[in-house]
Structures are given as C-alpha cells and as structure tokens.
C-alpha cells in the first residue's frame, strides 16, 4: 500500500506532499510523488519534432521529480520517493499509477487560485473525482503541518452510504489512534416571523430536520460505543447555520484535523462524485478533505 501524490511539474504542490506525509505519520505507508509529463504522439511524420518534444518532456519530468524529492526530504521520517511518467491525460495516468502502486489514498493539491488555507478544485481534480475508485485527499492551498492525523471529522447524513463510510472511518481511527467526530451539517435559511402558512411550514420542516438529525446521531453514537469508542475519543454533534460557511465555521477546527466525506452520486459510472452539498462543504472546509467512493451497492 502507498500514498500516491499527484505532483504538478509547473505548480507548487508542496501542500499535497505535506498532507501525504501527515497521513503517513499516522498510518505508515510509503509516499510516492508522481509527476505526469505530456507524451508525444510517436507518428513517423513527426519523428524529428517528437524527439525534440520527448527530450523536453524528459527534462521537465526530471526537474519536477527533483523538486518533489526535495519537498519529501523535508520529512526524513517518511519513506518517500519521486518519479515522473509520461501520459496524455493527467487524471487517467494518476489513476493508473494509483492502481499499479496499490494506493490507499490519492493525494492532490488545490488550485493555485484558491485562497490560502482553502480548497478549490482544478479541472483535472474534478475529472479525477468522477472516476477514482480510491479515496482522494485534497490539501488546502499552502498547507503545512508537522502533526499526524489527530482527529477525523466525518460528514454524516444517515443514509446507507453514510453508515458504510462511518464504519470505515471508525476502523481507521482505531488503527491510527485518532479521535473521531461525527457531524451532521444542517443548513437552513434564517427563520422569518410566522406570517403565512408557507413560513409556518418552513419552520416545521427545519424543526423536523433537527429532530431527525438528533435521532440519527444518537443511533450513530450507540453504534460507535459498541465498537469501543468512549467520550474521550468520540464526539457527535450537529453544525448548523444559514449558509454552508456559517455551518462549517460553527464548530472548532485545529491542526491535525481531517474532514472525510462520502460520495453522493447514484450514477453507476461515477465512483467518486461531489453532490451539491459536498461541493459546498469542500469549498468552505478549513482543513484537508478526503472524498471516499461508495462501496458497491452503497
């Protein structure tokens, strides 16, 4: 098993390596930084041009791997290596590398135009999320840490996928001695005075959501207690607000935190796909996010 890092040859992807090393400190596995370099077409008519292109690509690849190796050298306690490979599609090549290297998690960085400390998907990462069969971890821009994973927050919706995800994350937390926090995000508009039947119905819906969430959370807590979790290493809570930023900001976040979300897609061809709610959570998350594909049948 490995942590495979997508390392862009023309970008500062140190955040992705920082995140991969953080994961490796908690659950030791080798970290492999992979730079994908454009592949030539190899047609006879373009033989001369293609040779020049291949030479350029090799130079870029070697330089990128050297930069990745230098970033990994900042973490001498981690078993890290850097390689470059040719490919015509960065997402597809990374997926092939993840499979070939038996990756436990595929780690990528945020877009270069994301705000510092925030996550923004690149077009390549977005395509990657639609087809990955392994979890994809996304580092906030300029991410740095010297800690391991101290606490894992899992987004819980009380559906089949969430229960499957919760069990998987709980097992990982037990192996890595990380604390577990189960959060149900409740986003609702600011309540208006009850001046019509519509407003009254809206208030009832919001109250029903909160009641259902509390019931589901109690069930989740009982399930996790049966797995050996105690109040010292388990927290179950809701995060509410009039918008996603307020809801996510209503709970504490610290160095060593990791947020895990499950796939919300029902399309059989999409292994990992961010639904509208998950996309908004990712956009406002102040910590690294791991997107986990649904298990078959979930």
């Amino acid at each position: 098993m490995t942590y495979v890092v997508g390392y862009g040859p023309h970008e500062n992807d140190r955040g992705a390596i920082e995140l991969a090393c953080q994961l490796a400190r908690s659950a030791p596995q080798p970290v492999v930084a992979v730079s994908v370099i454009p592949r030539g077409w190899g047609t006879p008519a373009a033989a001369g041009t293609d040779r020049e292109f291949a030479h350029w690509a090799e130079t870029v690849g070697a330089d990128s791997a050297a930069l990745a190796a230098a970033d990994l050298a900042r973490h001498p306690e981690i078993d890290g290596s850097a390689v470059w490979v040719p490919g015509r599609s960065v997402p597809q090549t990374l997926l092939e590398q993840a499979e070939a290297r038996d990756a436990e998690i595929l780690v990528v960085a945020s877009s270069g135009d994301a705000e510092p400390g925030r996550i923004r998907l690149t077009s390549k990462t977005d395509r990657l999320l639609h087809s990955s069969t392994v979890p994809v971890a996304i580092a906030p821009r300029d991410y740095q840490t010297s800690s391991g994973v101290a606490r894992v927050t899992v987004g819980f919706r009380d559906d089949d996928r969430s229960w499957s995800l919760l069990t998987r994350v709980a097992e990982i937390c037990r192996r890595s001695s990380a604390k577990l926090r189960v959060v149900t995000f409740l986003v609702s508009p600011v309540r208006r005075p009850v001046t019509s039947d519509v407003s009254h119905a809206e208030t009832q819906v919001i109250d029903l959501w909160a009641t259902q969430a509390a019931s589901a959370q109690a069930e989740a807590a009982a399930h996790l207690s049966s797995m050996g979790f105690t109040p010292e290493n388990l927290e179950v809570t809701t995060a509410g607000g009039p918008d996603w930023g307020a809801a996510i900001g209503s709970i504490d976040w610290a160095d060593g935190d990791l947020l895990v979300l499950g796939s919300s897609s029902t399309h059989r061809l999409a292994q990992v796909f961010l639904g509208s709610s998950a996309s908004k959570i990712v956009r406002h998350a102040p910590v690294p996010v791991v997107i986990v594909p649904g298990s078959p049948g979930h």
Side-chain angles (χ1 to χ4, degrees):
M1 302 288 284
T2 61
Y3 299 109
V4 171
V5 180
Y7 191 95
H10 305 296
E11 304 164 8
N12 179 5
D13 282 282
R14 178 173 292 169
I17 286 183
E18 288 281 316
L19 176 54
C21 290
Q22 179 182 21
L23 295 170
R25 278 192 287 272
S26 294
Q29 302 288 351
V31 173
V32 182
V34 178
S35 297
V36 180
I37 306 303
R39 173 182 290 165
W41 296 103
T43 58
T49 302
D50 209 48
R51 281 195 297 271
E52 294 179 2
F53 181 87
H55 177 70
W56 169 83
E58 290 174 4
T59 301
V60 171
D63 290 346
S64 182
L67 288 172
D71 287 342
L72 286 166
R74 294 160 54 93
H75 305 278
E77 76 282 10
I78 302 300
D79 178 6
S81 59
V83 300
W84 67 271
V85 295
R88 296 203 175 98
S89 165
V90 172
Q92 183 58 39
T93 304
L94 286 177
L95 291 174
E96 292 169 355
Q97 287 291 308
E99 181 178 2
R101 298 176 184 278
D102 193 22
E104 184 168 1
I105 296 178
L106 182 56
V107 187
V108 296
S110 289
S111 168
D113 58 1
E115 295 180 12
R118 298 293 181 180
I119 293 174
R120 178 174 293 182
L121 303 182
T122 67
S123 59
K124 293 175 182 177
T125 300
D126 187 62
R127 292 198 301 272
L128 188 67
L129 288 170
H130 281 72
S131 51
S132 179
T133 57
V134 300
V136 178
I138 311 166
R141 183 183 172 191
D142 298 335
Y143 185 64
Q144 293 185 31
T145 184
S146 58
S147 75
V149 177
R151 178 174 61 178
V152 178
T153 297
V154 57
F156 182 67
R157 299 189 306 267
D158 190 30
D159 56 15
D160 288 344
R161 288 192 181 217
S162 286
W163 278 102
S164 175
L165 175 67
L166 182 61
T167 299
R168 293 170 68 182
V169 173
E171 292 170 350
I172 292 171
C173 286
R174 292 177 64 181
R175 293 201 306 267
S176 60
S177 299
K179 294 182 179 179
L180 174 60
R181 178 168 64 177
V182 182
V183 176
T184 299
F185 294 101
L186 297 176
V187 175
S188 61
V190 176
R191 296 191 184 203
R192 299 170 293 180
V194 180
T195 57
S196 68
D197 290 340
V198 174
S199 296
H200 182 64
E202 181 181 83
T203 299
Q204 288 181 320
V205 168
I206 294 172
D207 290 342
L208 179 60
W209 286 348
T211 300
Q212 291 176 336
S215 175
Q217 294 246 319
E219 188 177 354
H223 171 66
L224 293 168
S225 294
S226 71
M227 295 179 64
F229 283 86
T230 66
E232 288 71 32
N233 54 24
L234 173 65
E235 178 185 356
V236 179
T237 188
T238 58
D243 55 54
W244 287 102
I248 294 167
S250 69
I251 56 177
D252 70 288
W253 300 96
D255 185 36
D257 278 354
L258 198 69
L259 174 60
V260 179
L261 302 173
S263 163
S264 59
S265 174
T266 57
H267 196 294
R268 65 184 180 87
L269 296 180
Q271 299 296 333
V272 176
F273 181 79
L274 295 184
S276 59
S277 296
S279 294
K280 293 170 183 174
I281 294 172
V282 168
R283 192 179 310 134
H284 291 94
V287 299
V289 177
V290 179
I291 309 296
V292 180
S295 302
H298 292 91

